[in-house]
Amino acid sequence: MTPTFITIALNDLKAQVRDVASMVLLFVVPVAVITIASFALSDLFRPGGAILKVPVVNLDNGDHGAGLVAEFKAVGAIEVQESADSRDGKTALTVEQARRKITAGECDAVVVIPPGFSAAVGGGPAVELLVLQDPAAPLMAGLVRGMAEGAAARVATGTAAAAAPPGVTVRTENVQSVTGRAIDPFKQNVPGYAVMFAMFSMLMGSVSMLREKQSGTLRRMLAAPVSRASILAGKMLPGFITAFTQVAVFFAFGRIVFGMELGNSIAGLTLMAAAVALTTTCMGLLIVTLVKTDGQLASATVLVVVGMSSLGGSTWPLEIVPDFMRKLAHVVTINAWAMDGFKDLLWYGKGLIDVLPEAGTLVLISGLVFGIGLARFRFE
Amino acid sequence: MNDVRLEARDLARSYGGRPAVAGVGFSIGGGEIFGLLGPNGAGKTTLLSMLSGLLAPDAGSVLLDGTDISAAPGRMKRACGIVPQEIALYQALTGRDNLLFFGRLYGLHGRRLARRVDEALSAVGLTERAGDAVRTYSGGMKRRLNFAAGLMHEPRILFLDEPTVGVDPQSRNAIFDNVRRLARGGAAVVYTTHYMEEAQSLCGRVAILDNGAVLALDTPQNLIDNRGRSIIHLGVGTADRDLAARIGSVPGVRSVRQVESMSGDRRQVFEIEAAQTEAAVSRILGLLAELDLPMTSLKVFEPNLESVFLHLTGKNLRD
């Protein structure tokens, strides 16, 4: 026979799923917010602002190579990093250094002009014009590839041809980091808003508990041969499942729709998602003991969610705030710990073991909050 | 169904120093419908909560078949069903889903659960609407489902807390029929209400409750016979200020008070409480004839539990 707390939890989930408005609030609204915020803040994650920086590694010593660099410079939207031009006496950028620039998120693409490019344009042996690209930024990389082909054609023929000249082919190569690759806005916003909206799911849990009290269904459950522990577990489990599912859905959305890389440890992500869901669920229990009406509950939840999310790095990265704010965030919010864990996994490619401190801290906070909530909770 | 006996002994419970229930005691058996009649705030719900084991009393005890329920709370929970005053249902779920859920809480499952859900839906006339969300039900239908949810495990004791508040006559009759059927099947029913008509027509015995104390406990008929008073509303076309005193001196009349004075005191209406109604009315009409005063209206209200309550407390049930 199904344990009673599972029966209670399933009943709660069934009621929740049939509440279309709450499902939209829990899943659709966050997806929209993540998308908008990621595009709106995309420049924040690209050093140099709105102009596309394209390092050019010029390994050709001929005039056509220099001409190709000049063609790139002539494109207004591109800031060619001239350090690649060894003829100007600057330190030449190596191909390996260019790769690391993509890996570090400093640019989306690099153009490598191979040795013998000038000779190839002049009818010599064929060469490959190499475009190194960030697979997570296909639009930008595609743009660079197209410009490279056009520029090569113009250098060779003096016309605005679209295709590369004979003897020059353009090859594209994806650059992928072993330890984690460039930061894109989704790697900030998906975990950030996932934590924030998982906190909103605690509102659903709290509302459910408060309504059980107000409607008399809690009294009915208490009159049945069911332990109070089962009732409490049954009421909290849906909150945990909802919050965990939210985080999973938002990460899946980021991955599937925007190609966000999930790092090297799905187990680590699962652990962090579970720790966040546990913490928000326990916070929901505490909040319901502090309020008496739906209005008080909504106010308290908004205050907690918006306050913690702003301070804790859900809405913008903690890396851009002063040091004392970062320290404060780790004292008064759960978001800071959650974001630390998710960034370790997504930004730096760390593994399950590496996020144990963050997950452990969240579990400790959960235990503390649950203890206070349990002591304050009144079934009558 | 085995015979059941529920006994309350000197139950007391206070909230913030204010006594909600003070020294209440009675016992009821299987097959009996026992009414707790009192106005809002009389302590009915608190008493019901203590009887059902939901609330621990400050003093006194509740015995189920001779055993204190605090020593075996699980036994009491399995034995009793509760129909709360509120519509204690999940509005987003269907009627059937609600009954399935509450049935499962009592350990029902499989075929027995399905059978009980069908029986309960049929008993309250909701089979046709079983698949609809409760939020689409009328107030009466919700009340009936609320009632059905308390019956899922076929309880030996059923606590009904104002189960007919705001329902249509059809739903009220359906609930009454089910309550009577359960009692005939051997269940003990404790029924709280502030509708004296319900207590009078449904309950075998009634305890009149006010300010947390039982003021009287007997069958409705005995309460009416022993404590009830007829109320006579008499209109007379006179401004005579001494008439109330003259009516008060008529044998059988217990009290007189003027309730209306109209048209420049040319007409007065008196509320007269009398023991033997017919004889008292006859004597009063004789008095008016003797005084040559015209009677403008006469209404006689037979004694009922309302008048018993009025007599015991000096206030109306709906005050």
Side-chain angles (χ1 to χ4, degrees):
Chain A
M1 200 170 72
T2 312
T4 313
F5 80 95
I6 297 287
T7 300
I8 295 170
L10 289 175
N11 190 62
D12 242 37
L13 286 170
K14 192 187 281 184
Q16 186 172 300
V17 166
R18 290 183 187 179
D19 185 350
V20 176
S22 78
M23 296 309 289
V24 168
L25 179 66
L26 288 174
F27 291 98
V28 179
V29 171
V31 163
V33 170
I34 288 169
T35 305
I36 293 166
S38 295
F39 283 120
L41 298 178
S42 58
D43 286 341
L44 187 65
F45 298 88
R46 181 180 298 120
I51 295 176
L52 179 61
K53 289 188 177 179
V54 182
V56 178
V57 180
N58 187 1
L59 304 176
D60 177 63
N61 289 321
D63 291 338
H64 289 306
L68 190 56
V69 173
E71 282 288 336
F72 278 120
K73 285 180 180 175
V75 179
I78 293 182
E79 181 184 318
V80 175
Q81 294 187 313
E82 293 186 73
S83 60
D85 190 348
S86 59
R87 292 191 310 175
D88 292 346
K90 296 176 182 173
T91 305
L93 188 69
T94 66
V95 174
E96 202 47 46
Q97 286 169 331
R99 282 180 193 277
R100 281 201 290 273
K101 278 181 175 287
I102 295 177
T103 305
E106 293 176 15
C107 60
D108 292 326
V110 170
V111 177
V112 179
I113 304 171
F117 175 77
S118 294
V121 170
V127 294
E128 282 185 335
L129 188 61
L130 183 61
V131 175
L132 302 174
Q133 70 167 14
D134 179 350
L139 290 176
M140 291 300 179
L143 188 66
V144 171
R145 178 193 167 97
M147 287 189 299
E149 288 176 341
R154 283 193 295 277
V155 165
T157 65
T159 64
V168 177
T169 55
V170 178
R171 183 169 68 86
T172 304
E173 181 184 322
N174 287 339
V175 175
Q176 196 108 19
S177 167
V178 176
T179 59
R181 49 160 301 280
I183 301 161
D184 67 52
F186 288 95
K187 287 188 173 180
Q188 160 66 29
N189 290 329
V190 168
Y193 285 102
V195 174
M196 180 171 165
F197 281 94
M199 291 173 80
F200 268 117
S201 80
M202 81 187 172
L203 172 67
M204 299 299 164
S206 303
V207 164
S208 167
M209 244 184 264
L210 197 62
R211 293 218 172 124
E212 294 273 10
K213 280 187 165 188
Q214 291 170 339
S215 72
T217 47
L218 181 63
R219 193 163 168 238
R220 207 160 218 165
M221 277 193 259
L222 288 168
V226 180
S227 71
R228 294 186 172 200
S230 285
I231 294 173
L232 210 53
K235 294 306 299 175
M236 292 180 71
L237 187 58
F240 176 84
I241 291 172
T242 303
F244 184 85
T245 306
Q246 275 183 301
V247 176
V249 166
F250 301 153
F251 273 75
F253 171 79
R255 174 70 190 142
I256 293 166
V257 179
F258 295 106
M260 182 186 87
E261 289 184 8
L262 297 179
N264 301 318
S265 176
I266 294 298
L269 287 175
T270 306
L271 175 68
M272 285 306 301
V276 167
L278 181 67
T279 315
T280 58
T281 305
C282 293
M283 286 172 64
L285 174 68
L286 177 60
I287 285 179
V288 85
T289 68
L290 301 172
V291 299
K292 284 189 166 59
T293 65
D294 286 359
Q296 290 174 351
L297 179 61
S299 302
T301 305
V302 168
L303 189 70
V304 169
V305 174
V306 174
M308 281 198 179
S309 298
S310 304
L311 194 58
S314 275
T315 45
W316 49 75
L318 279 181
E319 284 73 8
I320 67 171
V321 304
D323 189 49
F324 81 93
M325 289 289 283
R326 271 202 295 277
K327 287 177 179 165
L328 182 65
H330 285 86
V331 174
V332 299
T333 79
I334 64 164
N335 307 59
W337 294 100
M339 290 305 291
D340 282 355
F342 282 124
K343 283 177 192 170
D344 279 351
L345 296 164
L346 297 176
W347 294 23
Y348 307 114
K350 293 184 179 177
L352 177 69
I353 302 296
D354 300 305
V355 295
L356 285 179
E358 289 91 349
T361 303
L362 289 175
V363 171
L364 280 176
I365 293 171
S366 302
L368 182 67
V369 170
F370 178 76
I372 298 171
L374 194 61
R376 291 183 53 86
F377 192 79
R378 294 287 172 270
F379 283 91
E380 290 84 12
Chain B
M1 189 178 289
N2 296 329
D3 196 22
V4 64
R5 177 143 292 274
L6 183 70
E7 188 178 353
R9 287 185 181 169
D10 294 323
L11 286 175
R13 173 81 190 198
S14 297
Y15 292 110
R18 189 187 65 80
V21 172
V24 170
F26 56 80
S27 72
I28 61 173
E32 183 175 9
I33 303 173
F34 183 83
L36 289 172
L37 180 67
N40 292 328
K44 302 189 297 291
T45 300
T46 301
L47 180 56
L48 214 62
S49 295
M50 288 192 285
L51 289 172
S52 58
L54 278 175
L55 190 65
D58 294 338
S61 56
V62 178
L63 281 69
L64 173 65
D65 298 331
T67 304
D68 193 326
I69 63 167
S70 63
R75 189 161 163 261
M76 182 62 181
K77 287 183 171 190
R78 281 187 293 276
C80 81
I82 287 185
V83 178
Q85 192 171 343
E86 311 88 358
I87 302 292
L89 299 167
Y90 296 96
Q91 303 285 329
L93 300 184
T94 66
R96 182 177 295 280
D97 282 342
N98 269 277
L99 296 185
L100 284 169
F101 173 68
F102 289 117
R104 286 189 187 110
L105 290 185
Y106 284 90
L108 301 180
H109 56 93
R111 283 184 182 177
R112 188 177 171 216
L113 176 61
R115 179 178 59 81
R116 282 300 301 147
V117 168
D118 289 340
E119 287 173 355
L121 286 168
S122 171
V124 295
L126 287 173
T127 304
E128 299 294 317
R129 296 292 304 274
D132 295 339
V134 170
R135 64 169 166 258
T136 66
Y137 286 13
S138 69
M141 292 164 73
K142 286 177 183 175
R143 278 278 165 208
R144 280 185 272 155
L145 188 67
N146 200 40
F147 176 78
L151 313 180
M152 284 302 297
H153 61 298
E154 299 175 281
R156 298 166 66 210
I157 306 168
L158 186 63
F159 295 103
L160 300 167
D161 193 1
E162 307 261 9
T164 61
V165 171
V167 304
D168 56 282
Q170 181 196 356
S171 295
R172 186 168 61 239
N173 289 338
I175 290 173
F176 283 6
D177 289 345
N178 278 289
V179 170
R180 291 192 181 102
R181 185 179 53 75
L182 284 164
R184 281 197 300 275
V189 180
V190 181
Y191 191 102
T192 80
T193 182
H194 65 275
Y195 297 131
M196 66 95 190
E197 302 90 346
E198 289 189 357
Q200 206 164 318
S201 69
L202 198 62
C203 302
R205 285 188 305 150
V206 172
I208 293 180
L209 204 64
D210 192 39
N211 293 325
V214 173
L215 304 181
L217 194 165
D218 210 329
T219 64
Q221 196 55 54
N222 283 347
L223 286 170
I224 290 165
D225 289 346
N226 298 330
R227 314 262 188 156
R229 300 286 184 273
S230 294
I231 303 292
I232 302 160
H233 278 202
L234 175 70
V236 185
T238 179
D240 184 355
R241 293 281 178 192
D242 298 329
L243 184 58
R246 286 171 185 265
I247 294 172
S249 64
V250 171
V253 172
R254 294 175 186 273
S255 68
V256 181
R257 67 185 181 108
Q258 187 180 339
V259 293
E260 278 181 43
S261 176
M262 300 169 69
S263 306
D265 290 339
R266 295 300 300 270
R267 176 174 175 266
Q268 300 176 78
V269 178
F270 300 96
E271 185 178 273
I272 304 161
E273 191 181 318
Q276 294 165 316
T277 316
E278 286 182 21
V281 168
S282 173
R283 290 188 193 108
I284 291 167
L285 293 180
L287 174 67
L288 294 183
E290 185 183 316
L291 296 173
D292 196 21
L293 294 175
M295 183 185 71
T296 57
S297 64
L298 177 67
K299 284 183 188 170
V300 177
F301 298 93
E302 290 298 323
N304 55 27
L305 289 178
E306 180 86 42
S307 66
V308 173
F309 189 81
L310 181 66
H311 170 68
L312 289 170
T313 66
K315 59 189 179 187
N316 288 312
L317 263 172
R318 290 175 182 79
D319 282 350

